[in-house]
Structure formats: structure tokens, C-alpha cells
Amino acid sequence: LRTYTLETGVQGFPEAAVRHPGIRFHGGTQVTGIEKSESGFTVTTEDGGRHDARFLAFATPANVTARLLERAS
């Protein structure tokens, strides 16, 4: 078993991810729904935005992630 610690803490994950081409981060708004689409997923946010994504990453408690994904399966 190996464990790793980030110098900057957990916030180091999204900070490192957004430095890579093709990765977009949408923060500051609540996700209200996730649906499967032909190309991956469509994420709906509380402000009415719709974002298409091939992959998703979650920074939410497990119960919140499970609730969001219930309708996407």
C-alpha cells in the first residue's frame, strides 16, 4: 500500500488538471443534473448552463456523487 500527500492539499488536483490542454473547469455553480449523451455526458448547472463532457471528475462527498449519477446510468 502506498500513500501520497500533495504539498498544496486536495486543491492541488484541480489546479494541476486545468493546466493540461483540453481540460476545462467550471466552478462557482451547483450541478443540478447529469445525463448520458452520445459523446459522454451533459452536465446541467443551477444557472441553466449545459456543458458537454467526455469524462467527469467529482470533488463531492460520495452521497452527492451517487445522487448526481443515479440518473446518468
Side-chain angles (χ1 to χ4, degrees), residues 13-60:
F13 285 115
E15 290 170 356
V18 297
R19 287 194 292 264
H20 292 279
I23 294 181
R24 293 177 296 154
F25 175 78
H26 296 276
T29 187
Q30 185 174 350
V31 172
T32 56
I34 299 172
E35 301 169 18
K36 275 195 168 186
S37 67
E38 287 186 23
S39 61
F41 301 93
T42 299
V43 177
T44 305
T45 55
E46 66 184 342
D47 61 1
R50 293 179 61 82
H51 308 278
D52 293 319
R54 187 169 166 202
F55 301 104
L56 301 173
F58 293 87
T60 56

Side-chain angles (χ1 to χ4, degrees), residues 10 30-31 34 57-70:
V10 176
Q30 185 174 350
V31 172
I34 299 172
F58 293 87
T60 56
N63 63 320
V64 174
T65 302
R67 182 175 45 81
L68 288 168
L69 289 175
E70 280 178 351

